[in-house]
Amino acid sequence: WQTCNCIGGWHYNTSIYERGGYKSAATVVKQLVDIVSKNGNLLLSIPLRADGTYDEKEAAILDDLEAWMTVNKESIFGTRPWVKFGEGPVAEKDIKINAQGFNDGQFANMDYRDIRFNQTKKYLYVTAMGWPEDGRLVVKSLAKGNTALKKSISSVTLLGYGKLKAQQTAEGLVVTLPKPTNNIAPVLKIAK
């Protein structure tokens, strides 16, 4: 399935530009990761001015998206859904469809407790929708004894950083993250 969305209006709108009404790169990434975790695609529109160019605010958003994707693209491209799409407050909330089914506001409210999963044959990718202030991330769906995992977790890597300290407990996979390496979302890579 595919969803189409736009960072502003569906056509260039000077008032959206002037009031700073574009979606942030963080909001777009959260939406993308959520969609991919549910086996979908995101078609993202960047509205262009009459001369066919985008403005400097849109350029900054594209630069931020590029920076995040350069490091984390392996967690998006060529992945498939895991046995569970995610966990956290937004995943567990009963979200009512409004208007024509647009619920974009949900993505802006996500934080580190909102986690999404996807996988390749070799790896499970775990994306937290933000960085915990204390650096402690708990992935409840990867608790010790979870039957969705065929074996215990031996190592956890943060894309763009390296190996992390992690322990599987009854509470979940407890990971100690470094200081944020990007302004959007950390992605953990776990060998299966």
Side-chain angles (χ1 to χ4, degrees), residues 26 55 81 102 134 138 165 168 174 183 187:
D55 62 49
F102 294 104
D134 64 359
V138 179
K165 183 181 175 187
Q168 262 185 300
V174 181
N183 294 327
V187 180

Side-chain angles (χ1 to χ4, degrees), residues 82-125:
W82 189 51
V83 297
K84 183 177 184 179
F85 82 90
E87 68 182 43
V90 174
E92 295 158 11
K93 184 164 51 167
D94 182 19
I95 300 171
K96 302 293 183 200
I97 293 178
N98 64 39
Q100 291 79 31
F102 294 104
N103 289 310
D104 287 355
Q106 298 302 316
F107 300 106
N109 297 327
M110 290 181 167
D111 63 26
Y112 71 93
R113 298 169 300 161
D114 291 294
I115 294 171
R116 297 296 179 266
F117 305 99
N118 51 352
Q119 65 181 335
T120 61
K121 287 183 181 181
K122 289 182 157 185
Y123 301 105
L124 174 64
Y125 294 96

Side-chain angles (χ1 to χ4, degrees), residues 31-129:
Q31 183 178 26
L32 172 66
V33 171
D34 184 69
I35 289 166
V36 169
S37 74
K38 298 170 184 170
N39 201 29
N41 297 304
L42 171 64
L43 175 65
L44 184 65
S45 176
I46 308 297
L48 302 177
R49 295 181 281 206
D51 65 0
T53 61
Y54 47 83
D55 62 49
E56 76 282 356
K57 292 179 183 179
E58 292 171 315
I61 293 165
L62 290 172
D63 289 345
D64 290 346
L65 286 171
E66 178 186 22
W68 190 88
M69 286 297 292
T70 297
V71 172
N72 299 292
K73 64 186 170 193
E74 73 178 80
S75 72
I76 299 294
F77 298 117
T79 61
R80 304 293 299 159
W82 189 51
V83 297
K84 183 177 184 179
F85 82 90
E87 68 182 43
V90 174
E92 295 158 11
K93 184 164 51 167
D94 182 19
I95 300 171
K96 302 293 183 200
I97 293 178
N98 64 39
Q100 291 79 31
F102 294 104
N103 289 310
D104 287 355
Q106 298 302 316
F107 300 106
N109 297 327
M110 290 181 167
D111 63 26
Y112 71 93
R113 298 169 300 161
D114 291 294
I115 294 171
R116 297 296 179 266
F117 305 99
N118 51 352
Q119 65 181 335
T120 61
K121 287 183 181 181
K122 289 182 157 185
Y123 301 105
L124 174 64
Y125 294 96
V126 178
T127 305
M129 301 298 189

Side-chain angles (χ1 to χ4, degrees), residues 154-158 161-165:
S154 58
S155 71
V156 177
T157 303
L158 175 64
Y161 179 82
K163 194 171 179 179
L164 299 175
K165 183 181 175 187

